[in-house]
Amino acid sequence: LFMTLSEFKNINPEFEESMFLTKVNNIFVKLFTNIMMDKLEEVDHFVGDDVYKFACDKLEAAKSNGCRQMYDELNVKDSQIRNVEVKQDVYEIKVFLQSRYMDYIINLSNGSVISGDDTRRIKVDYNLTFTKKIEVKEQGITRKCPTCRAPLSVNTSGVCEYCGSIYNQEDYDWVLEELEVLN
């Protein structure tokens, strides 16, 4: 069932478009930064299996050749909600995101640029699909560990630093399920 953003806000009054788009932008930047830094465990709980596989494949392709994929001066120029759909047990929001970054590959042994351009940013457009289980409520800015109720940072690895419990983002909040490069 497709709906307008206004209709979606009527059935989900806690939803705030600006907060959602800030979250989208942060997850996008965090994903690409962690591909570059070889720290995918820090984004695992923000993304679905297909996006995680995309990130792993990018990282492994570079590492297997003794290289590193670089995304310097990465930022989000624009992001907009394109459509909202209610599916069986999830809300699905499609977002158009326009980013800018320098996209190049370096040799890890000597730091030389193997391919791409490390002097000029390119503009890349994406379609992103986020889902959230219908039965969960927005958590807002402050998240608490479901086990010990200690505060959790949205930028952590999804493991409570106090009790070690795993925070599964998909049980509480929006998760990036699909990432499609448009150009």
Side-chain angles (χ1 to χ4, degrees):
L1 173 67
F2 286 96
M3 60 180 56
T4 67
L5 195 52
S6 297
E7 291 170 328
F8 180 66
K9 287 178 184 178
N10 284 337
I11 64 168
N12 193 350
E14 305 91 20
F15 182 82
E16 291 184 34
E17 183 178 5
S18 62
M19 293 285 287
F20 174 77
L21 289 174
T22 297
K23 186 178 303 187
V24 165
N25 298 346
N26 287 338
I27 289 172
F28 177 84
V29 169
K30 190 166 186 61
L31 174 64
F32 279 77
T33 300
N34 283 287
I35 291 171
M36 183 173 64
M37 301 305 294
D38 190 4
K39 294 183 177 181
L40 293 182
E41 68 279 357
E42 293 188 15
V43 294
D44 185 23
H45 63 293
F46 290 112
V47 300
D49 292 342
D50 290 344
V51 175
Y52 191 73
K53 183 179 178 340
F54 158 83
C56 286
D57 290 350
K58 272 271 200 213
L59 181 61
E60 289 308 314
K63 282 173 61 175
S64 67
N65 292 313
C67 301
R68 173 167 287 157
Q69 174 68 54
M70 302 298 292
Y71 300 107
D72 277 349
E73 297 183 20
L74 170 68
N75 73 357
V76 174
K77 184 174 186 221
D78 187 32
S79 56
Q80 303 169 11
I81 294 174
R82 286 290 165 95
N83 73 42
V84 179
E85 188 175 356
V86 178
K87 294 188 170 184
Q88 290 177 303
D89 59 345
V90 298
Y91 297 122
E92 180 180 278
I93 297 182
K94 297 211 181 267
V95 176
F96 169 78
L97 183 139
Q98 190 173 74
S99 64
R100 294 177 39 177
Y101 49 84
M102 287 186 263
D103 183 5
Y104 60 99
I105 296 174
I106 62 169
N107 180 318
L108 281 174
S109 64
N110 63 18
S112 65
V113 175
I114 294 173
S115 68
D117 188 347
D118 69 340
T119 62
R120 187 173 53 86
R121 292 197 304 175
I122 59 171
K123 178 181 68 96
V124 184
D125 298 339
Y126 293 88
N127 276 333
L128 308 177
T129 302
F130 283 82
T131 63
K132 184 175 104 167
K133 292 180 180 175
I134 288 175
E135 71 272 4
V136 300
K137 298 274 187 211
E138 290 288 326
Q139 287 194 313
I141 296 170
T142 306
R143 289 180 174 48
K144 298 206 181 288
C145 172
T147 305
C148 73
R149 306 302 298 154
L152 287 173
S153 167
V154 293
N155 295 321
T156 62
S157 65
V159 177
C160 177
E161 63 186 270
Y162 299 98
C163 73
S165 293
I166 295 175
Y167 177 85
N168 292 318
Q169 184 87 353
E170 69 181 15
D171 291 335
Y172 302 99
D173 208 346
W174 295 97
V175 172
L176 175 58
E177 292 290 345
E178 294 176 24
L179 180 140
E180 176 190 6
V181 180
L182 297 177
N183 56 342

